[in-house]
Each structure stands twice: as C-alpha cells, then as structure tokens.
Amino acid sequence: MTAVRQAFTRESADARRADLIEATAACLAEHGLAGTNVRAICAKAGVSPGLLRHYFGGIDDLVAATYQATSDRMDAIFAAAMVQAGSDPRARLTAYLTASFRPPVTDPELLGAWTAFWALARSDGRMAAIHAESYAGYRARLGELLVACGAADAERLAIMLTAMVDGLWLELSLDAESFGAEAAVAMVKRAVFALV
C-alpha cells in the first residue's frame, strides 16, 4: 500500500494576515501587553518570525492592525444588532447600545486585548488615531440614532451613553458576577428611556 502524498497548499496573504491578527489578539488577552512578543505571536499562529515581518513591518504594525481589525469587528457587531432590531428608532438605539453585553462582545478574553489597546493609545500616535477614529464613529452612529429618537443635544448624550456602556462593560469584564449582563442591559434601557 502506497501512502498518498497530500499536496502542499499555500494560504492566501489575507488569510496569513488574519491568522497573525487573531494570534496577536489571543496573546494580548492571555499574556497582556508585556507578554505579547514576536515569538509568542508566531507560536500561537504556527508561523515563523520571518513570516510576521513579511506581512507586517514589525510587532508595532501588527498590534495596530489588530486594534483596527478588532474595532472593525465590534462596529460590525453593533451595526448588525441595530439592523436586527427592525425599524423602530428606540429599539434600534437600545440594540446598538446593549450589544456590548451580548456575545461575542462579552468574551472575557476581549478585556486583555482592549486594555492593551487603551494603554497604547495613551503613548503611541498611531494607536491614538485608531482609538479616536473608532470612538468617533461609534459616537456619530449613536448620535444619529438619538436624533432619530428625537433627542435634543444628541452629541453630548452620545458621549454620556458611550461612557456608561464602556464602564458597565469594563466592570462586567472584570467581575461577571457583580451585577450581570441583563442588569447592565436594564440600566442602559432605563437611561435611554429617561433621555429620549
């Protein structure tokens, strides 16, 4: 009996980049910023350090790409929640805000990655720009939803509600037993209905 030899298949460049981004997010979640390095990322992705440098200029480029990809993923999740809520403006607003308390946003591993991104945004210009763009987009979409609900001063309300959601999400990520996701949803709904 002759062994069948499998043909070698090369993954596309996009797939390799996505694997490296996923491995970086996993390393940040598992080891924090201090434990995330080229060796750990490449081991997690199952590739050589040379491949990382082939697709990214270095670890700083890869971490920035990971932040951008994570932000884009979150935007898509929030947008999908809003669309699934139907056409009622309040239902869309509530769905957009409360998506932060539903899977996959409640994945405990996301906290490690986000805290690393937030820390880097304070000292790295590129990370600060990604942060500013991501949060500005979230607040702008939130402002549009608030306007559709007839809210006055939608821009300030968007800032306030963003801070509330971020704070609740952070507390839940640190201690899921403290008050629970459904209590967070109820708090956000109460705030929304009191404001609009």
Side-chain angles (χ1 to χ4, degrees):
M1 183 180 225
T2 1
V4 178
R5 188 171 176 204
Q6 288 188 322
F8 174 76
T9 58
R10 185 179 306 265
E11 287 191 48
S12 72
D14 288 343
R16 286 286 193 189
R17 282 188 193 93
D19 289 346
L20 286 164
I21 286 169
E22 185 177 318
T24 302
C27 284
L28 287 167
E30 204 173 312
H31 307 293
L33 192 54
T36 298
N37 55 48
V38 170
R39 183 177 308 199
I41 293 167
C42 291
K44 180 74 75 180
V47 300
S48 72
L51 197 65
L52 184 148
R53 286 186 290 278
H54 175 75
Y55 289 114
F56 298 93
I59 193 165
D60 292 342
D61 290 343
L62 178 53
V63 170
T66 303
Y67 189 15
Q68 186 66 61
T70 305
S71 294
D72 292 346
R73 184 172 147 237
M74 294 300 109
D75 285 344
I77 290 166
F78 301 141
M82 181 184 64
V83 168
Q84 289 175 350
S87 60
D88 177 66
R90 281 188 177 205
R92 291 167 62 83
L93 173 62
T94 302
Y96 187 78
L97 288 167
T98 60
S100 291
F101 311 114
R102 309 263 189 246
V105 183
T106 54
D107 179 351
E109 292 192 359
L110 198 53
L111 175 63
W114 274 119
T115 54
F117 299 146
W118 286 337
L120 287 168
R122 294 181 45 82
S123 60
D124 181 290
R126 180 171 36 176
M127 295 295 280
I130 294 167
H131 175 81
E133 182 182 332
S134 172
Y135 271 75
Y138 180 88
R139 286 189 310 271
R141 284 183 290 285
L142 183 51
E144 291 168 7
L145 290 166
L146 286 161
V147 167
C149 290
D153 204 6
E155 189 174 319
R156 284 183 187 250
L157 285 178
I159 293 168
M160 184 191 78
L161 288 169
T162 299
M164 179 182 184
V165 168
D166 279 352
L168 290 169
W169 177 83
L170 183 58
E171 284 301 316
L172 280 172
S173 296
L174 292 170
D175 181 8
E177 302 303 316
S178 58
F179 51 86
E182 290 312 310
V185 168
M187 288 182 246
V188 170
K189 284 181 178 180
R190 188 173 182 187
V192 166
F193 295 134
L195 295 168
V196 296

